Each structure stands twice: as structure tokens, then as C-alpha cells.
Amino acid sequence: MTIVANVWSYLWGTLTVIPFLGFPIAYFLLYAWKRDKRLAGRWAINITNLLLIRSVVVAYSEIWPEAMSAWWWIACFYLVFISLLGWMQVRWKGKLSLRKIGFSAWRLSFLLFGLIYVVLITTGIVKTMSVV
């Protein structure tokens, strides 16, 4: 394995365990490249959201290896959440904007997956300590 591959695998592993570390890394890299704080902040949140989803899937599969894959839960969550947001938007505004629904679902999922990440990490620590 080359040095670059080693560095990449260690970085990817670290960001899987500590996904919130991806926010400052992405923010500073994008800000240094584009010199736009708003753009850097938006992209840092998006990248951190992807890292959170990955971390939740990995933590879920480590805590409950025999359970159904977390990817199914995430897909169902997005389908139900987007449907609910669409229904609410049509009910209140009378029209449907898929762009607004997608943006809202993505941003709210950042909060939800952040909370799920904390709960799963805490559950994993408690489960590991109770086994020993």
C-alpha cells in the first residue's frame, strides 16, 4: 500500500468514528480554495451530514451485527420524511416545491443523524463496558 492510500484510510477511519471532525476540515479547505464563508459553511454541513450517515450505519452494524442493515432504515426515513414534508407543504402553501422539500429534509436530517450518532456511540460504549 502506498503512503497516500495509508493516509486516506486512516483519515477515512477517523472521520467515520468522529464525523464532526469533518466540518472544520471541509470548511477550512473550501474557504482556502474559494474564499467564500457561506459556501464553505454550506458544503461543510453537507459533507458532515454524509459523514454522520456513514458513522450511524457503521455504529449500528457494530452494535447489532445480526440486525437488518441501517441503510434500509435510512432509506425509509428519507421516504417518509420527504412525503411528510411534501404533504405539509401542499396543505399549507397549496403547491409543491421539491427543491425546498429536499433542502429541508437534508438539513433536518443533519440534526437527526447528529442525535442518532450520539445515542449510538453512547449505546456502544455502555454495551462494550457491560460485556467486560
Side-chain angles (χ1 to χ4, degrees), residues 29-106:
L29 287 175
L30 280 159
Y31 181 73
W33 181 37
K34 292 287 187 176
R35 294 287 180 208
D36 184 358
K37 288 182 181 181
R38 286 182 63 133
L39 181 70
R42 284 194 309 250
W43 274 96
I45 288 173
N46 291 339
I47 291 168
T48 306
N49 200 9
L50 289 171
L51 292 171
L52 277 169
I53 292 169
R54 167 82 175 138
S55 297
V56 165
V57 168
V58 170
Y60 182 85
S61 65
E62 286 295 319
I63 295 171
W64 298 289
E66 67 281 345
M68 186 171 63
S69 174
W71 287 113
W72 287 106
W73 293 110
I74 291 170
C76 290
F77 159 74
Y78 275 114
L79 286 173
V80 169
F81 199 53
I82 288 171
S83 300
L84 181 63
L85 286 173
W87 177 80
M88 287 173 31
Q89 190 179 66
V90 167
R91 184 107 165 124
W92 290 344
K93 302 271 185 178
K95 62 181 182 172
L96 186 65
S97 171
L98 293 178
R99 184 176 182 177
K100 287 183 181 180
I101 291 171
F103 179 80
S104 299
W106 186 250

Side-chain angles (χ1 to χ4, degrees), residues 110-132:
F110 176 80
L111 298 173
L112 180 69
F113 284 117
L115 178 65
I116 292 171
Y117 168 76
V118 170
V119 169
L120 285 176
I121 292 300
T122 305
T123 303
I125 291 170
V126 169
K127 187 176 177 183
T128 301
M129 290 175 69
S130 65
V131 170
V132 175

